[in-house]
Amino acid sequence: MLVLADVTDLERQRRELARQNAQLDDFAAAVDHELRNAVSIVEGHTALARERTDDPDVVEPLETAERATDRMRGVVGDLTTLARYGQTLDDTVPCDVDEAVRRAWERTDTGDMALAVDAEGSVSADPDRLCELFAAVVEFARVTGGTTLRIELDGDELTLTTDGDTVSAERVEAAFDYSAAVPSAAAGMLLPNVRTLAGVHGWTVDIDAGYEDGVRLRIAGVERPA
């Protein structure tokens, strides 16, 4: 009887978790749809206004509005990622790290950056969340002026290194704070999302404060498939 009661409670908890996750998915989709529509309307009107005037006193604020809407589009994407993939993780599967990195690289604006991957083997992870994690790192490297992103897997640790802007020692923890923007406003929610996406797997993320040629992220506690 006790065993049956325990199993029933676990099944009830599993169903409630599935319901909550489905609700968060619906919320993320709705927010993404509504906010992107609003941003698109603003973009359309600023573009129309730009076509109708060459007055510098008007063009300058329009350019400011365009930069703001570009930034807002990025924030919407970051919030959607958080809502959709920051949920409790039910299960993991073996994921080839090199393949996940390449997948993230191909779907992200990489500019003129170069990619170096030394990560043979797999990790136990959710494929979509792992791809989102790497995509956030790629985007972080790009917006902070990186020319090269290097990703390495050694034992239970992933190392992700970029040669862009550095993070001062006193601001290392703030870099993972959703209320901050470290090392720049463009970086926004990228590193906080990296920590969240790692955290749902039970991994930890830290910045190597001793690395002075850019930013080196260390993701520890990574499980390898048996």
Side-chain angles (χ1 to χ4, degrees):
M1 290 290 291
L2 290 174
V3 171
L4 286 174
D6 287 344
V7 170
T8 300
D9 287 343
L10 286 172
E11 179 61 19
R12 187 180 297 111
Q13 292 172 7
R14 187 194 67 78
R15 289 179 179 177
E16 177 60 17
L17 179 61
R19 185 193 68 79
Q20 292 176 356
N21 285 348
Q23 190 175 45
L24 280 173
D25 279 338
D26 290 342
F27 168 76
V31 168
D32 184 75
H33 175 74
E34 292 300 326
L35 291 183
R36 287 186 188 277
N37 277 351
V39 171
S40 294
I41 290 171
V42 174
E43 287 177 333
H45 281 282
T46 53
L48 182 61
R50 285 284 300 273
E51 292 176 0
R52 293 180 175 179
T53 182
D54 55 4
D55 184 344
D57 291 335
V58 177
V59 170
E60 184 175 348
L62 287 174
E63 290 176 344
T64 300
E66 287 172 342
R67 289 192 295 270
T69 53
D70 285 344
R71 173 72 187 127
M72 192 62 197
R73 190 174 289 279
V75 170
V76 170
D78 291 339
L79 286 171
T80 302
T81 296
L82 176 62
R84 182 167 291 151
Y85 296 113
Q87 307 163 13
T88 302
L89 192 58
D90 291 327
D91 199 10
T92 60
V93 296
C95 298
D96 184 271
V97 174
D98 184 85
E99 180 180 326
V101 172
R102 307 285 176 186
R103 179 182 163 203
W105 183 265
E106 290 173 1
R107 50 162 282 187
T108 309
D109 179 9
T110 57
D112 297 324
M113 277 199 308
L115 175 67
V117 183
D118 182 11
E120 292 186 6
S122 299
V123 298
S124 297
D126 174 84
D128 290 334
R129 287 172 172 81
L130 184 62
C131 181
E132 290 292 340
L133 186 156
F134 286 135
V137 172
V138 172
E139 180 68 7
F140 175 81
R142 185 186 67 82
V143 301
T144 54
T147 63
T148 301
L149 174 63
R150 176 175 293 277
I151 297 178
E152 300 167 279
L153 174 64
D154 184 12
D156 67 347
E157 183 174 275
L158 278 164
T159 304
L160 310 99
T161 308
T162 176
D163 59 350
D165 298 337
T166 60
V167 175
S168 60
E170 62 271 17
R171 303 205 71 193
V172 163
E173 196 56 36
F176 297 104
D177 189 341
Y178 278 106
S179 64
V182 178
S184 65
M189 300 170 61
L190 294 171
L191 288 188
N193 273 3
V194 169
R195 177 169 278 185
T196 296
L197 291 165
V200 298
H201 289 91
W203 309 339
T204 60
V205 182
D206 293 292
I207 293 176
D208 183 353
Y211 187 73
E212 299 179 349
D213 296 325
V215 172
R216 174 169 288 160
L217 296 173
R218 296 191 182 279
I219 302 179
V222 176
E223 291 188 11
R224 308 289 295 272

